[in-house]
Amino acid sequence: MASTIQVPTTPNAPGGAPESLALSRAGGDLLVLTHVYTATAVLGLGALFGLLQALSRANLIVLPAGFDYYRMLTAHGVLMALVFTTFFITGLFTFAVYRAIPRVRSLRLGWIGYVVMLVGTTMAAVAILDGSASVLYTFYAPLKASPLFYFGATILVLGTWTVGADIFLNVAWYKRERPNERIPLPAFMATCTMIMWVIATLGVVAEMALLIPWSLGWTSGIDVGLTRMFFWYFGHPLVYFWIMGAYTIWYTVVPTTYKGTVFSDGLTRLVFLMLLLLSTPVGLHHQYLDPGVAAGWKWLHAMTTYCVVIPSFMTAFAIFASFELGARNAGVRGFFNVVRWLPWKNPVFAGPALGMILFIFGGFGGIVNNSYSMDVLVHNTMWIVGHFHITVGGPVALTFVAASYGLIPALTGRKLFAPRLALVQVYTWFVGMSIMSIAMHWAGLLGSPRRTADVTYFGAQGAATWHTASLWAAVGGTILAASVLMFIVVATGTYFANQPAESKPQFDFAPARAGDDAVATPAVLDRLGRWGLIAIALALLAYAGPVIQQIEAHAYLAPGMRTW
């Protein structure tokens, strides 16, 4: 990092209006833009693989033997769940921290992080595409991939840690320079999320410490139960990593589209701290049926999973309160008038708002999955796939795509290409995702299995019951793929059309509500280091017992297999 510190003057806009700070490419714009366009390219490729899967499961096409269903499923899952989201979130948080903490800084660490992430992604992608790593995005043992895949995944994680280190160093600088001031809210959200991410990805590191020697032939077998436990130590917090990225936009970017404010600085920080503390000790609810894990630990994780609902409800309250206050300031009263007043023709608002609607259904589905008796019925069915898509593809991906319509013009200084197409795109995404995910849920209730290429079962009558739902899922997937194509046209068109904006577009973060009725944020909420230590302690309390049980139990070391 640069040792010379010079803080540019940040204009304090009157009346609580968003602060503006022009960022040059040397100030990080190119770095963030590279993250966003990498995520865009990955989204397009992942969507293509997703469309082919949907058409294949509906028996509308037959995939070639040289690029089978499971290879495509692995590519789709890894690209969408691990790569697209990670590149966008790390780019967004880099932007948030650089903007909220203006200073002269070195970009070296940020670029190193990006390059390391790209190298890891490329290694894993090569392994998947050449057919040596069709282990799905969960990479469950005893399915055995080539070492290239495991090394690639590890390097991708190490790259995110490097980006996190860049964020942490900038926030630490801010606290040294202004010890009596609160961390700016966007930087706080980014830092809190990256602390959670580092704690969660320790599970990946632990799992890879077993998988890599095994894949190299240095060990005779693998403890399947232990690797599954390490994966879900990471796997469920991964969802909150996505959600916290989307929440950052909901809380601080969406209000700027209607000249609103963050409802409460303190409540927002409390929500993020609750997610930091509660995200990790929940993963065993994915292993209700796994042997070797005591029922008491599963019950504990089920209870902590229910607790994660609380910050989601707090977020719903804060977002709707921000809508209401913004409308009242504009002289609008009444529920339906407020709904009509909101800027539904602005894609930067409409995308996240439609994502919030999808998240309501995703949240209720999550409660079903966390309920032992109901989870037993749906766990290995298409219900889970539908839940995953309506939760990740709805509130998260749609929010990121819509935010790009504000972020890319702000980074390039260019007009948004085809803004009407951008608006059509977010609504098309909502329709396609609704049709596809509802159809997947319905197919799951009828018993359609997931992770299965051919679900016709040689024409069995029972299998025919979910064929109609599979066709509807293909219809929704086709609409979604068209929507992704529209997004790529707008995102890349903005760059290549090269139409300078009359005034530099801004991608602002809204200030928190001020005034006599706004409560000051307690200083204790700002002590992220201490909250991080508490989060580590909770993770240890939740997992030390199950891991010790797993290690002490007699384990059959599986030699590994390839079913493809």
Side-chain angles (χ1 to χ4, degrees):
M1 301 296 292
S3 56
T4 303
I5 297 171
Q6 179 184 351
V7 183
T9 302
T10 304
N12 295 318
E19 294 182 344
S20 295
L21 174 70
L23 289 178
S24 69
R25 289 187 171 226
D29 285 17
L30 183 59
L31 173 60
V32 176
L33 190 65
T34 307
H35 273 268
V36 173
Y37 274 133
T38 303
T40 300
V42 171
L43 176 65
L45 193 58
L48 173 62
F49 291 145
L51 172 63
L52 293 176
Q53 286 174 73
L55 297 177
S56 172
R57 280 186 64 99
N59 287 330
L60 297 176
I61 64 170
V62 177
L63 296 176
F67 205 86
D68 61 279
Y69 178 85
Y70 296 103
R71 192 185 314 188
M72 200 165 293
L73 180 59
T74 303
H76 174 70
V78 170
L79 290 176
M80 297 299 236
L82 300 177
V83 182
F84 157 66
T85 50
T86 303
F87 271 96
F88 186 89
I89 292 172
T90 50
L92 172 70
F93 285 160
T94 299
F95 178 83
V97 171
Y98 284 7
R99 183 176 180 79
I101 303 178
R103 59 180 291 208
V104 175
R105 57 169 56 85
S106 167
L107 303 178
R108 183 176 303 166
L109 200 55
W111 277 111
I112 291 173
Y114 169 79
V115 171
V116 173
M117 289 171 62
L118 190 63
V119 169
T121 298
T122 304
M123 292 170 62
V126 168
I128 295 170
L129 296 178
D130 75 7
S132 63
S134 297
V135 291
L136 312 189
Y137 106 96
T138 48
F139 43 91
Y140 282 158
L143 293 177
K144 191 174 188 178
S146 72
L148 187 65
F149 175 81
Y150 298 127
F151 277 115
T154 306
I155 292 171
L156 171 61
V157 169
L158 294 178
T160 63
W161 286 7
T162 309
V163 176
D166 187 35
I167 290 172
F168 298 156
L169 289 172
N170 275 280
V171 172
W173 173 89
Y174 184 88
K175 292 300 290 182
R176 284 198 306 272
E177 293 295 312
R178 304 180 185 183
N180 298 321
E181 295 184 15
R182 301 286 179 271
I183 301 169
L185 187 57
F188 176 91
M189 295 165 140
T191 308
C192 190
T193 305
M194 291 309 295
I195 291 173
M196 189 280 288
W197 175 251
V198 170
I199 295 172
T201 47
L202 290 174
V204 178
V205 174
E207 185 177 4
M208 290 304 172
L210 300 174
L211 291 176
I212 288 176
W214 173 60
S215 68
L216 291 169
W218 296 349
T219 56
S220 59
I222 192 77
D223 186 334
V224 173
L226 189 59
T227 56
R228 282 173 62 89
M229 189 173 291
F230 284 146
F231 177 82
W232 285 116
Y233 171 91
F234 153 78
H236 202 79
L238 171 66
V239 175
Y240 296 108
F241 179 62
W242 303 328
I243 294 293
M244 291 165 84
Y247 278 5
T248 300
I249 294 170
W250 292 5
Y251 273 104
T252 62
V253 176
V254 168
T256 64
T257 62
Y258 53 86
K259 299 180 180 178
T261 59
V262 177
F263 170 68
S264 167
D265 183 276
L267 181 145
T268 307
R269 291 174 199 255
L270 180 59
V271 164
F272 272 68
L273 289 176
M274 292 178 72
L275 291 171
L276 166 64
L277 299 180
L278 296 171
S279 292
T280 307
V282 297
L284 290 185
H285 78 256
H286 289 267
Q287 297 181 265
Y288 281 153
L289 300 185
D290 282 20
V293 183
W297 290 114
K298 294 176 180 176
W299 177 85
L300 176 65
H301 283 234
M303 294 302 105
T304 50
T305 304
Y306 284 127
C307 291
V308 184
V309 176
I310 297 172
S312 295
F313 281 139
M314 293 169 65
T315 296
F317 170 78
I319 298 299
F320 293 137
S322 180
F323 290 169
E324 175 74 14
L325 291 173
R328 283 175 177 268
N329 290 335
V332 178
R333 297 288 190 278
F335 175 78
F336 293 106
N337 290 333
V338 171
V339 172
R340 283 195 294 269
W341 170 80
L342 291 168
W344 294 99
K345 294 183 179 179
N346 181 346
V348 180
F349 171 83
L354 294 171
M356 294 172 198
I357 295 172
L358 294 174
F359 193 41
I360 294 172
F361 298 99
F364 282 121
I367 294 174
V368 170
N369 302 341
N370 189 45
S371 305
Y372 179 85
S373 56
M374 289 188 282
D375 179 74
V376 170
L377 297 175
V378 300
H379 190 75
N380 282 317
T381 73
M382 284 298 289
W383 168 283
I384 297 298
V385 184
H387 168 73
F388 199 69
H389 280 83
I390 204 169
T391 304
V392 181
V396 175
L398 184 51
T399 294
F400 294 167
V401 164
S404 299
Y405 294 139
L407 192 54
I408 293 174
L411 293 168
T412 61
R414 296 166 182 171
K415 291 181 181 177
L416 182 67
F417 179 75
R420 287 183 181 274
L421 185 63
L423 187 61
V424 171
Q425 185 272 318
V426 296
Y427 284 97
T428 307
W429 184 297
F430 176 76
V431 172
M433 184 60 71
S434 299
I435 293 174
M436 187 180 76
S437 58
I438 290 172
M440 287 175 168
H441 278 89
W442 187 247
L445 291 177
L446 293 173
S448 178
R450 59 175 170 147
R451 295 168 170 161
T452 305
D454 184 356
V455 292
T456 61
Y457 294 100
F458 305 103
Q461 186 175 4
T465 60
W466 59 65
H467 182 63
T468 301
S470 299
L471 288 173
W472 276 109
V475 170
T478 304
I479 296 172
L480 262 177
S483 179
V484 171
L485 181 60
M486 293 180 207
F487 168 67
I488 293 172
V489 169
V490 176
T492 56
T494 301
Y495 187 85
F496 289 110
N498 194 19
Q499 295 180 322
E502 296 176 0
S503 59
K504 182 174 172 59
Q506 300 295 325
F507 189 79
D508 294 312
F509 297 98
R513 184 167 57 102
D516 296 337
D517 59 341
V519 178
T521 301
V524 67
L525 297 182
D526 223 27
R527 293 167 183 162
L528 281 170
R530 297 181 188 181
W531 289 111
L533 292 175
I534 295 173
I536 293 172
L538 290 176
L540 287 173
L541 288 173
Y543 270 97
V547 169
I548 291 172
Q549 282 184 345
Q550 193 72 45
I551 293 174
E552 289 180 345
H554 174 72
Y556 169 73
L557 298 181
M561 65 175 73
R562 287 190 176 185
T563 57
W564 62 95

